[in-house]
Structure formats: C-alpha cells, structure tokens
Amino acid sequence: MKHFEVNFDGLVGPTHNYAGLSYGNVASLNNASAASSPKQAAKQGLQKMKALTDMGMIQGVLAPQERPDLDTLRRLGFTGSDQRVLEEAAKKAPEVLLACCSASSMWTANAATVSPSADTADGRVHFTPANLTNKFHRSLEPQVTGRILKATFNNDKYFAHHTHLPDNEHFGDEGAANHTRLCRDYGHAGVEVFVFGRYAFNTSKPAPKRFPARHTYEACQAVARLHGLSDDTVVYIQQNPDVIDQGVFHNDVISVGNQNVLFYHEQAFADTQAKLDEIQRKFGHSDLHFIKVATDQVSVQEAVKTYLFNTQIITLPDGNMAIIAPTECQESESVSRYLDELVTLGTPIKNVHYFDVKQSMRNGGGPACLRLRVAMTDQEVDAVNPNTLINDAQFERLNQWVDKHYRDQLNVDDLRDPQLVMESRTALDELTQILKLGSVYPFQQD
Ligand code: SUG
C-alpha cells in the first residue's frame, strides 16, 4: 500500500476583498479597504496548485463559500429582496455587510482538523470542521464547510465527518492551522501536535494580553476525543502568549511540521523544552529533526511579515523535502539568507520554491493557510471525489471558469452591488457542476 499527503487548497471566491476584519492579524488590519483582485487571487492559488502537481504531488481543491451570505443578513433582521437586504445592510450596518462578504473560506488550513486513518481508533480518516468562533465573519463558515468536505470525501467506509464543536469561545477551534502531525511515513501512526492559545475554563493560566487567543485547550481535547486518538500519540502545546500579542494569530504563522521535521521559531511555544521532550518520547524513533530558528536569525516581527513559517514543507516523490514559500520570504534579507542556509544544513529539507500569493498574503494568508493536508492511503485517495483532484484538464477548466466569472478588481463599496450576488451564484452553481459536489450552497437549497 502507498501513502500520500494530499494538499487541498481553497479556491478563492469571487468576493475576495480586504475589509480589515481580523483583529490580531496584522496584514488584515494594515490592508483594510485596499482594492482587491479576485481574479488574480484565484489564479495565484491555482498556479500554486498546478506547480505542486508538476512536482509530482497529488493536489486537491476545496470549493469556496457563497458570499455575500444573505441568509445570515436575513437572520440578523434584514428583509425583502436580495437588493433591499444589501442596501439596508450597507446603510444601517456596513461592518456586518462586510463580514458577510468575506472570502475567508479560501484559507482551508482553518477549514477543519484532519486525522489520518493510521492514527484513529476506527481506522478511518476523521474530519472536524473548525467553528472559528473568534471572528464573526469566519464563524459563518463551518456548516457549509462540513457539506463541502462531505461532498469531497464522500465515502463512509474511509471517511468520518463530525459536526463542528459548539459555537462558543470556550471551544474556539481554528482547525489545522493549529495542528501538525509528525510521523516516520504518512502511513505510520504519527504524533498529532495540537497547539492552543489559552485555557478556557482555567483563567488563572497565562494568556495573551493584547490580541485574542482564538483556539482553546478544551477544543483541542474535544477534537482528539472525536477522532479516537490515543493519549500516547497526542501532544498539546500552548502557544507563547507573547507571540500572539505580536501578531501570531495562528500557530502556523510560527511553526510547521512534516513527517520527521518540526520547523519552529524559538519563541513559538510556552514550556518549549518539556514539550519537545514529550514529542520525542511519543515519536519514539531517533530520526526526528527539530529545526529551531533563533530570534537573532529571524525576529518574530520578520517571521510575521514574511510568513517564513507559513510555508508548506512537502515530501517530494524522491523522498526529499521542499519548502513552498511566499515571495515575501525571498524579498527579506534575513529570511532569504536563512532559507539559503537551511537547505545546506543536512536536514531533509533540500529546496525552496517561491510563489506569489500576494493577494492572499495581504489578508494574512500564506501558502500554508491556503491548504488543508490530508494524509491518505492509495485506496483512500481513490475514494476521494475525483473531480476535486487537480490535473492539467481540471486546472485549465478552473482557470477558464475564473476568467469567465471573476472581476479584475473589487473595492469594498462594490460589495453592496446586487449584481455581485448574481455573478457569485452563477459562478458557484457552475463550479458545483465542474467539481460534481451536488447542492452544497444555501442558494441551491431554497
Ligand atoms: O482568519 N484573514 C484570515 C487569515 C487566515 C490565515 N490562516 C492561517 N494562518 N492558517 C484570518 O484572520 C482577513 C479578512 C479581511 O480582513 O477582509 C481574514 O479573515
């Protein structure tokens, strides 16, 4: 049996915009109200997906969500035709309208937490959509995310789908952005590392003072229980509260793991040495690489600006690892110097490839935010909805679909345009046919 890690990237939706919605996410706040290009954003994402397939990786795509979210606006008391709902919301609650237009589902690292079959009690791949309670605009995602995941991984024999955790800050869950898995090979049972920002029930424990800790310890434990993971192979680590206060709103902004490599900034975690010892003990095997980046090599501020740790570490078919980094890393003197050196250090990481994902970066989403990792056996890959896997034909088709439906430029004011609702629905309706997802969107269920 063969084993693969498949990246499922989020396709950027037609309403991609910069609304400054994410307090604690420096890029989102800095770019509030800038003009966006949904077409460019979607194409940058597709280019990255295609490049990974060209490297010999299996690559998937997850559909975006329906925005503007008119159902939520109606739930909040706006009535009448779609046009009237938009007009009234724009007039009386413009911030609420912006939140209901965000294309934030593109960052599929926040779509769910995934545990591969080698780790779970029933031998299936488990998915729990993230509830994303900390940000209103993101809390609108989990239900439809669940439907999209079920339509993508649509086989009960291999895939188990859970409901997202209760929608409350006590169980704030940001999904795989705060979860990484270390293993010798994708098919071997691994150590699942859950990272959280704070304890919900024990408020005497350390927590950030300035920016919110979105993800709780209690949420991590609940997901581990749902997935049937053994305590012997799970490690819970608290993020260093000080780095959250410097803009590290998810752990994947300061650390990333792949197979036997954990790449992290020395300030990433609380209680670092004890936790690394626990990982080593539970991992068992000696061939484990902890690659620490010291503050004098790259500061936390530079890591947040360049997204050095929001890189994807992938294992290529020849067994070597490569880093998929945003071009911001190449443009930074200290980070590019660090990466040039890293590939010579004798760790499994041998190459760096840079990608322009600037449209996403301006909202605080790097290469790793754009993907959800699913480690699978070849049988499990065969059970995935094949239309969601990228090949040359599907890449072409999705590019043409973007060309046909997406705007070149979008300003925040354009979000009240009822024409945008029609454009988005027409595009998404066609997308569900391209990906053969069935009726996953609210407008398809009316
Ligand atoms: O949740 N940005 C997203 C970025 C998510 C990045 N994901 C990972 N690190 N895995 C967030 O903060 C900004 C939207 C806006 O401001 O318009 C936003 O939602």
Side-chain angles (χ1 to χ4, degrees), residues 104-419:
S104 53
S105 65
M106 65 201 264
W107 299 295
T108 51
N110 304 117
T113 306
V114 184
S115 295
S117 52
D119 295 355
T120 62
D122 68 359
R124 292 189 293 168
V125 185
H126 282 243
F127 298 82
T128 300
N131 60 20
L132 301 168
T133 53
N134 186 259
K135 299 281 176 268
F136 170 63
H137 69 291
R138 303 224 59 184
S139 72
L140 308 176
E141 298 174 32
Q143 247 183 336
V144 173
T145 297
R147 280 191 220 143
I148 291 170
L149 288 172
K150 281 182 187 156
T152 307
F153 303 94
N154 55 356
N155 187 320
D156 289 350
K157 182 170 170 209
Y158 297 106
F159 306 118
H161 295 275
H162 301 279
T163 306
H164 58 281
L165 299 182
D167 296 286
N168 180 281
E169 288 260 10
H170 274 69
F171 288 96
D173 176 11
E174 299 281 317
N178 290 329
H179 175 257
T180 204
R181 177 172 182 265
L182 301 169
C183 57
R184 273 192 287 158
D185 181 82
Y186 293 124
H188 283 110
V191 176
E192 295 205 15
V193 180
F194 288 80
V195 184
F196 59 95
R198 68 184 174 96
Y199 293 84
F201 288 90
N202 186 344
T203 47
S204 66
K205 300 258 197 180
K209 297 185 177 64
R210 184 171 172 222
F211 290 145
R214 300 190 192 186
H215 201 132
T216 68
Y217 172 62
E218 290 79 357
C220 297
Q221 284 189 308
V223 170
R225 272 192 299 272
L226 286 168
H227 292 193
L229 304 180
S230 152
D231 285 344
D232 300 337
T233 55
V234 171
V235 177
Y236 301 101
I237 309 185
Q238 184 173 11
Q239 257 188 292
N240 174 359
D242 293 343
V243 299
I244 296 180
D245 281 338
Q246 291 173 68
V248 181
F249 58 97
H250 287 137
N251 177 63
D252 68 3
V253 176
I254 196 116
S255 119
V256 55
N258 177 52
Q259 290 186 328
N260 60 345
V261 169
L262 182 67
F263 178 48
Y264 68 103
H265 192 277
E266 69 172 336
Q267 294 189 53
F269 309 122
D271 208 8
T272 309
Q273 198 50 52
K275 288 296 162 185
L276 297 185
D277 291 348
E278 187 182 343
I279 291 175
Q280 178 65 73
R281 196 175 69 249
K282 292 183 171 174
F283 190 83
H285 201 260
S286 59
D287 186 27
L288 178 58
H289 299 261
F290 290 124
I291 307 179
K292 175 174 87 174
V293 180
T295 307
D296 58 13
Q297 291 173 293
V298 177
S299 66
V300 172
Q301 215 183 11
E302 198 62 6
V304 171
K305 201 170 112 203
T306 60
Y307 268 32
L308 167 61
F309 297 93
N310 203 263
T311 44
Q312 294 175 243
I313 305 179
I314 58 172
T315 304
L316 296 168
D318 68 5
N320 285 324
M321 293 190 195
I323 284 197
I324 306 300
T327 43
E328 282 76 357
C329 287
Q330 202 172 18
E331 289 152 15
S332 154
E333 206 196 306
S334 61
V335 172
S336 62
R337 188 177 342 113
Y338 175 80
L339 284 171
D340 286 348
E341 199 191 324
L342 172 64
V343 295
T344 67
L345 294 181
T347 76
I349 301 172
K350 303 293 182 211
N351 263 301
V352 183
H353 301 278
Y354 294 99
F355 286 86
D356 179 359
V357 287
K358 281 196 165 42
Q359 285 286 328
S360 168
M361 285 287 283
R362 286 189 198 128
N363 251 339
C369 299
L370 286 162
R371 63 95 166 94
L372 181 68
R373 293 184 281 186
V374 188
M376 287 184 277
T377 64
D378 41 9
Q379 278 175 344
E380 289 158 357
V381 173
D382 286 345
V384 171
N385 172 346
N387 307 287
T388 63
L389 296 177
I390 297 289
N391 53 27
D392 287 352
Q394 209 57 339
F395 173 71
E396 278 308 319
R397 212 161 163 206
L398 289 170
N399 264 294
Q400 283 164 8
W401 171 81
V402 170
D403 280 331
K404 180 169 156 199
H405 296 286
Y406 280 47
R407 295 192 185 185
D408 284 314
Q409 188 173 320
L410 197 66
N411 293 302
V412 166
D413 272 350
D414 300 331
L415 296 168
R416 66 173 72 179
D417 177 3
Q419 186 57 35

